[in-house]
Amino acid sequence: MRHFRETIYKWIFSVLAFASLLFLTGIILTLFVESYPFFVRHDISESIFGLYWYPTYDPPEFGMLTLITASFVVTLGAMVVCIPIGVGTALFLQELASASQRAVLKPLIEILAGIPSIIFGFFGMIVVAPFLQRLLGIPTGLNAFTASLVLGIMATPTVASLAEDAVSFVPRSFREASLALGANRWQTLTRVVVPAAGSGISTAIILGIGRAVGETMVVLMVAGGAAVIPHSIFDPVRPMTATIAAEMGEAVMGSGHYGALFAIGLILFFITLAINIVAEIISRRFRLKLGLGR
Amino acid sequence: MDCDVKIRARNIDFYYRRSRALKNISLDVLKKRVTALIGPSGCGKSTFIRLFNRMNDLIPGARVEGQILLDGFDIYHPKTDVVSLRRRVGMVFQKPNPFPKSIFDNLAYGLTITDVRDKEFIEHKVIDSLKKAALYNEVKDRLHDNALMLSGGQQQRLCIARCLAVEPEVILFDEPAASLDPISTRKIEELLLELKNEYTIVIVTHNMQQAARVSDYTAFMYLGELVEYGDTERIFTVPKEKMTEEYLSGKFG
Amino acid sequence: MKYKTIHTAEPFTAHPGKAIRMSDFSQALGFLFLGACAAFALFFLGSILYFVIVRGAPAISWEFLTSAPRKAMTQGGVAPAIVGTFSLTLGAIAFAFPLGLACAIYLTEYSPKTILVNIIRLSIANLAGIPSIVFGLFGFAIFVKVFGFGVSMLSGSLTLGIMALPGIISASQEAILAVPQSYKEASLALGATHWQTIARVVLPSSLPGILTGVILNVGRVAGETAAIMFTAATFYTRGYPDSIFSEVMALPYHIYALMTEGTHPESQTLIAYGSSLILLTLVLVVSSLAIILRQRQRRVYGL
Ligand SMILES: Nc1ncnc2c1ncn2[C@@H]1O[C@H](COP(=O)(O)OP(=O)(O)OP(=O)(O)O)[C@@H](O)[C@H]1O
Ligand SMILES: [Mg+2]
């Protein structure tokens, strides 16, 4: 009887587990199934490297290079903002903040990492964009630069918090050894602590990149929305995520446009998957390097 | 006699936040001698030895009263440069703590932080220190391997070599052999006997035989107080205090 | 550390060479940079809070919180959006929590420890990093179209739930794996069955960690826009949703719509600020809860 009950429980759990796995694999399947007709009718490399995104023209054109470039440019810009600030903040917390400051700032940063992206989009649109437009005298504040800036700030708490975790995992004995050899705190930080936490910090940065690539609302509201290759960082752009969000409502189900949007979704999926795998590999090396694996 | 005092602790009291860890300790460490600190666990040996290179500065809320003089100069004077103090007073920790760098980089570290750029000099110094620490023969073919790949005993000798490369005057050892096997321990002890010709050494140890073998002077501490301090031979044969005698004969601790 | 003494001897500075002064200089510069980074981060994030609070506060009133929008979104309140956000979030968690927990229990306790299971575990962790718009696409294709739920609260909740699923599974797994093996062994050695051990030993001691993961995901789901854009949300409804198949308003989408649609920018902006303040408060309260819980948890385990 008892044995029977145990078996029942085991089965219940395997069924539920299987159900959730089904949903999760369903995502990948759906992306493939829905974009399949598109890939049948259009040449893959022509779409990916095509320059013109005119989904509603007759005949439509589905060149995604502009969108991919836009995602790339905006993400790169965001990294320029959030890597130094995020990692700098993490090191500040670790090295300069007093115990009581850290006790306040660390959770604060984690909480700020939870601010919804719509708030950043809203803030960027209504405060940052007009401000930059006036400050720089540019025709529109809604452009790649503003989007990068806002996106970078949005990713900063994530990067800072993860990097701080990585740095705090560095055994205290490393720091003590360095200080005991007569290194000052800055030397200890830059030559011992940061290299030791290097792969952990890289993981933090890569996950920050993942967050920026996949972010929708900020770029939808702030990047300006023009599907052309930008000539300067102050040109409006339309990243992949924004394209899906803006056009899904109008795309007719089963049309080439509809399939193209799912194809973009698929590309996004693979990009973020690759990013996550790289982060995973690096963070595993991190644990080995600190001698936790020996 | 006074001219031979390297470190002089005068009326040291030490507090961790609320608790008092050291009570009015005065002790002279003599130049080019080995001084051993013994006593039961938690009596404050580590706390005391870490005062000599101001490692306790890192502990928030810690407070020290009294005076520690290195060659007659007060190391806790506000104008003291902690960095140069630590270059003069090196330390080897209980657990080997090599950096996750190559063996060579570990040893070069102490030099490169003072902006020594001369490659030849660094290499010479690295090899020289490895030889002094009796490690060179074991690692000479893999100087650029990660130091964490060494065995525990080798790691500890690496840490000693790394310390020697900085050319300190005093070396503090906090239970350097506590995590090592008997053979590695022997090697470290032999090394200590070599080193005492050139350096002033303070060593914390739980191993009575070790203290008896390597040290010239022994200090016995108990519950944050210095109970007895004197010639190692005398302490081990005719201790003045009853407590010392009981501890040495294994009655407590 | 403090040091109290009467200084009798001269201070010494050993080898006051040029090198050391140089490194002190770079240290000062470096620390200045780190301080600037932290100040910059706090300034920016602080200014977001500042703007939303200072400009949003005037919009908040009892009426704003409890009435529906009027006059083409230029007046009235956002009550339906608040209700919509609550119901979407609750629905999502009601769906994802049991499923995610069960999945975690299966993967940690019941599944054979094969390479396949390891791969599954890794893939789940990776799914947590997928952009929410991709989940939106999935929800649209499956729930809205294939299952025929239409743009509805049900479709939205399910989409959000699946978005939260990987996070909940990973957090629960981690919490369960953190339970010391010795606890389990003690229980099994006393003659408890596997299930009894899970129910009475493993789950109670991992509960805080599981809850933290769930609450963090509640915050994420409540603030999510892209995933509900074409699965659940609508710009305007007359009143409150009357069934799980009706479209709903939701705070995040409402903010987006106010900023991009409509004809009265000024009055809409004020409402958008008010909605942002409500959403921000909601999400920050939820995530603070999770983080306080986690801090406490860390302290217990002495981390
Ligand atoms: N960081 C700290 N904060 C608070 N109290 C501490 C701290 N470090 C040590 N103590 C306390 O100070 C006392 C002396 O500790 P210390 O580490 O100096 O002992 P010890 O003689 O080195 O012991 P052992 O032989 O076990 O290494 C102990 O009671 C210990 O609990
Ligand atoms: Mg000790």
Side-chain angles (χ1 to χ4, degrees):
Chain A
M1 184 60 204
R2 192 198 292 154
H3 194 74
F4 177 68
R5 268 235 307 267
E6 288 291 310
T7 317
I8 292 282
Y9 279 121
K10 181 172 177 168
W11 273 102
I12 292 176
F13 281 112
S14 22
V15 167
L16 289 176
F18 185 71
S20 32
L21 294 181
L22 200 69
F23 277 121
L24 296 177
T25 39
I27 296 174
I28 306 162
L29 273 182
T30 308
L31 290 176
F32 271 111
V33 169
E34 297 287 342
S35 58
Y36 178 72
F38 175 79
F39 284 125
V40 169
R41 261 179 274 154
H42 302 265
D43 184 56
I44 296 186
S45 65
E46 220 166 82
S47 321
I48 291 184
F49 297 109
L51 280 179
Y52 303 101
W53 176 259
Y54 296 127
T56 51
Y57 279 24
D58 192 23
E61 289 206 50
F62 300 112
M64 296 172 188
L65 192 63
T66 42
L67 316 179
I68 297 173
T69 312
S71 281
F72 182 76
V73 167
V74 169
T75 304
L76 198 71
M79 288 305 111
V80 171
V81 176
C82 85
I83 292 175
I85 300 182
V87 176
T89 305
L91 295 180
F92 174 84
L93 281 182
Q94 175 69 22
E95 186 60 41
L96 292 176
S98 67
S100 54
Q101 280 171 334
R102 183 157 59 231
V104 175
L105 287 178
K106 172 83 200 209
L108 183 68
I109 284 175
E110 286 178 344
I111 290 169
L112 290 175
I115 297 181
S117 58
I118 182 75
I119 304 271
F120 282 93
F122 174 63
F123 178 74
M125 197 169 179
I126 208 154
V127 179
V128 182
F131 174 75
L132 287 178
Q133 187 180 357
R134 249 179 294 126
L135 183 74
L136 304 171
I138 42 181
T140 170
L142 302 178
N143 56 38
F145 178 78
T146 315
S148 296
L149 185 66
V150 176
L151 215 48
I153 293 159
M154 193 184 95
T156 297
T158 310
V159 173
S161 166
L162 290 171
E164 209 272 339
D165 286 343
V167 172
S168 66
F169 273 133
V170 174
R172 213 182 59 188
S173 64
F174 290 175
R175 298 192 49 197
E176 286 191 338
S178 172
L179 291 170
L181 288 169
N184 67 22
R185 286 161 65 198
W186 178 248
Q187 287 169 328
T188 302
L189 193 67
T190 52
R191 302 206 190 175
V192 174
V193 177
V194 170
S199 11
I201 294 175
S202 323
T203 308
I205 291 172
I206 291 169
L207 291 178
I209 294 177
R211 192 157 180 213
V213 173
E215 173 48 35
T216 308
M217 297 321 288
V218 168
V219 289
L220 180 61
M221 294 171 84
V222 180
V228 289
I229 297 270
H231 295 289
S232 93
I233 50 168
F234 296 109
D235 282 349
V237 293
R238 166 176 277 204
M240 293 188 276
T241 49
T243 310
I244 301 177
E247 297 174 12
M248 200 62 206
E250 357 167 323
V252 181
M253 199 179 163
S255 68
H257 190 189
Y258 185 83
L261 294 178
F262 273 89
I264 298 177
L266 195 64
I267 297 174
L268 264 176
F269 174 84
F270 280 122
I271 293 177
T272 46
L273 194 67
I275 288 174
N276 278 313
I277 290 173
V278 171
E280 179 72 27
I281 292 171
I282 293 182
S283 84
R284 189 158 301 182
R285 263 214 340 238
F286 177 49
R287 272 170 256 145
L288 283 181
K289 188 173 168 195
L290 287 187
L292 305 176
R294 190 187 142 85
Chain B
M1 192 62 192
D2 195 59
C3 62
D4 280 324
V5 174
K6 185 71 184 176
I7 301 175
R8 165 164 289 174
R10 269 201 227 157
N11 307 96
I12 291 293
D13 282 84
F14 186 87
Y15 303 84
Y16 287 110
R17 251 178 245 285
R18 280 173 296 280
S19 68
R20 189 170 173 204
L22 298 177
K23 295 168 195 158
N24 196 23
I25 294 189
S26 298
L27 178 150
D28 288 346
V29 175
L30 299 188
K31 204 174 260 176
K32 299 201 177 172
R33 294 287 185 276
V34 178
T35 305
L37 294 178
I38 59 171
S41 196
C43 69
K45 305 178 297 292
S46 299
T47 306
F48 186 51
I49 198 174
R50 287 162 62 95
L51 286 172
F52 294 166
N53 65 344
R54 292 186 56 170
M55 282 316 268
N56 285 337
D57 287 17
L58 306 177
I59 297 167
R63 189 158 51 89
V64 57
E65 289 171 12
Q67 214 174 31
I68 294 183
L69 307 176
L70 175 67
D71 288 339
F73 294 120
D74 182 357
I75 67 170
Y76 278 93
H77 191 282
K79 287 205 186 119
T80 299
D81 179 11
V82 185
V83 165
S84 54
L85 166 71
R86 289 186 183 142
R87 296 188 74 78
R88 292 177 59 184
V89 183
M91 182 163 208
V92 174
F93 297 81
Q94 171 172 349
K95 260 183 63 196
N97 54 358
F99 301 124
K101 299 170 184 273
S102 73
I103 295 172
F104 186 92
D105 288 346
N106 261 283
L107 272 106
Y109 182 83
L111 302 170
T112 53
I113 52 176
T114 46
D115 294 322
V116 176
R117 293 268 152 67
D118 184 352
K119 279 229 178 70
E120 231 162 85
F121 174 74
I122 292 179
E123 201 166 318
H124 168 78
K125 198 74 209 170
V126 166
I127 292 173
D128 191 48
S129 313
L130 280 172
K131 280 182 180 156
K132 270 192 193 161
L135 186 62
Y136 184 66
N137 285 331
E138 287 159 68
V139 301
K140 63 174 175 243
D141 300 323
R142 43 177 178 151
L143 288 179
H144 295 281
D145 284 5
N146 193 326
L148 292 174
M149 303 312 280
L150 296 175
S151 77
Q154 289 171 329
Q155 286 188 10
Q156 192 63 303
R157 274 177 287 147
L158 176 84
C159 292
I160 296 175
R162 185 175 66 185
C163 179
L164 295 177
V166 187
E167 298 180 14
E169 299 156 29
V170 182
I171 308 180
L172 311 170
F173 290 88
D174 191 353
E175 300 183 47
S179 58
L180 304 180
D181 66 300
I183 294 172
S184 306
T185 304
R186 254 239 328 278
K187 282 194 179 154
I188 302 252
E189 281 180 19
E190 283 163 8
L191 189 54
L192 280 172
L193 291 173
E194 295 264 310
L195 293 175
K196 83 170 177 190
N197 298 324
E198 282 181 66
Y199 305 90
T200 305
I201 291 173
V202 184
I203 176 172
V204 171
T205 176
H206 274 286
N207 181 331
M208 297 310 136
Q209 283 77 36
Q210 187 172 68
R213 278 195 299 266
V214 301
S215 71
D216 304 307
Y217 299 94
T218 298
F220 171 60
M221 290 174 67
Y222 184 65
L223 293 179
E225 287 180 75
L226 180 64
V227 177
E228 190 168 356
Y229 177 44
D231 228 61
T232 298
E233 226 174 275
R234 186 193 56 70
I235 294 252
F236 276 83
T237 48
V238 278
K240 281 187 195 140
E241 304 289 326
K242 196 154 167 289
M243 208 132 56
T244 315
E245 191 182 336
E246 283 176 5
Y247 181 70
L248 289 175
S249 58
K251 288 214 179 89
F252 70 94
Chain C
M1 200 176 76
K2 284 189 202 126
Y3 182 67
K4 218 162 76 187
T5 186
I6 311 144
H7 296 284
T8 49
E10 291 281 306
F12 80 87
T13 30
H15 329 302
K18 184 167 139 273
I20 285 177
R21 268 191 235 120
M22 193 53 216
S23 64
D24 285 348
F25 178 69
S26 59
Q27 165 160 302
L29 263 186
F31 283 176
L32 197 68
F33 173 73
L34 295 189
C37 284
F40 199 70
L42 286 179
F43 166 76
F44 255 107
L45 294 164
S47 65
I48 290 180
L49 298 185
Y50 171 83
F51 271 102
V52 171
I53 292 170
V54 166
R55 298 221 184 135
I60 306 287
S61 64
W62 183 244
E63 197 212 343
F64 189 74
L65 293 174
T66 55
S67 69
R70 280 183 286 115
K71 300 216 174 131
M73 314 299 296
T74 57
Q75 282 177 24
V78 293
I82 299 177
V83 172
T85 287
F86 266 101
S87 35
L88 281 171
T89 309
L90 283 181
I93 294 307
F95 167 67
F97 179 40
L99 213 54
L101 183 56
C103 189
I105 292 177
Y106 177 76
L107 287 176
T108 49
E109 291 289 335
Y110 286 112
S111 69
K113 304 275 171 285
T114 58
I115 296 177
L116 182 72
V117 172
N118 256 331
I119 293 175
I120 291 176
R121 213 174 273 164
L122 273 183
S123 339
I124 288 174
N126 282 336
L127 283 174
I130 287 175
S132 52
I133 188 80
V134 174
F135 285 98
L137 277 179
F138 167 74
F140 180 72
I142 296 300
F143 301 126
V144 177
K145 298 294 180 190
V146 175
F147 288 4
F149 297 155
V151 175
S152 65
M153 208 165 91
L154 182 61
S155 300
S157 288
L158 290 174
T159 308
L160 289 175
I162 287 179
M163 197 181 101
L165 205 49
I168 291 179
I169 296 175
S170 298
S172 308
Q173 275 191 29
E174 237 166 76
I176 292 174
L177 287 175
V179 177
Q181 190 64 26
S182 57
Y183 287 19
K184 289 187 218 169
E185 280 166 3
S187 166
L188 291 170
L190 290 170
T193 64
H194 193 179
W195 165 248
Q196 284 170 329
T197 305
I198 294 173
R200 309 222 185 141
V201 176
V202 176
L203 288 184
S205 29
S206 53
L207 193 64
I210 294 173
L211 281 184
T212 307
V214 172
I215 297 174
L216 276 179
N217 277 284
V218 167
R220 237 182 93 209
V221 162
E224 179 54 43
T225 323
I228 57 167
M229 258 176 139
F230 21 82
T231 55
T234 176
F235 184 24
Y236 178 66
T237 49
R238 278 208 156 261
Y240 302 92
D242 44 18
S243 88
I244 54 171
F245 292 109
S246 43
E247 296 183 311
V248 288
M249 287 175 70
L251 281 171
Y253 186 72
H254 195 57
I255 298 168
Y256 171 68
L258 283 167
M259 294 310 295
T260 51
E261 289 171 37
T263 46
H264 300 275
E266 241 133 78
S267 43
Q268 288 183 193
T269 301
L270 183 64
I271 298 179
Y273 265 119
S275 311
S276 298
L277 181 53
I278 298 172
L279 180 65
L280 193 66
T281 313
L282 208 82
V283 171
L284 290 190
V285 165
V286 169
S287 56
S288 323
L289 247 174
I291 281 152
I292 290 169
L293 199 65
R294 183 160 71 199
Q295 293 290 96
R296 211 183 274 169
Q297 190 60 10
R298 280 181 185 165
R299 223 167 295 148
V300 171
Y301 283 123
L303 279 168

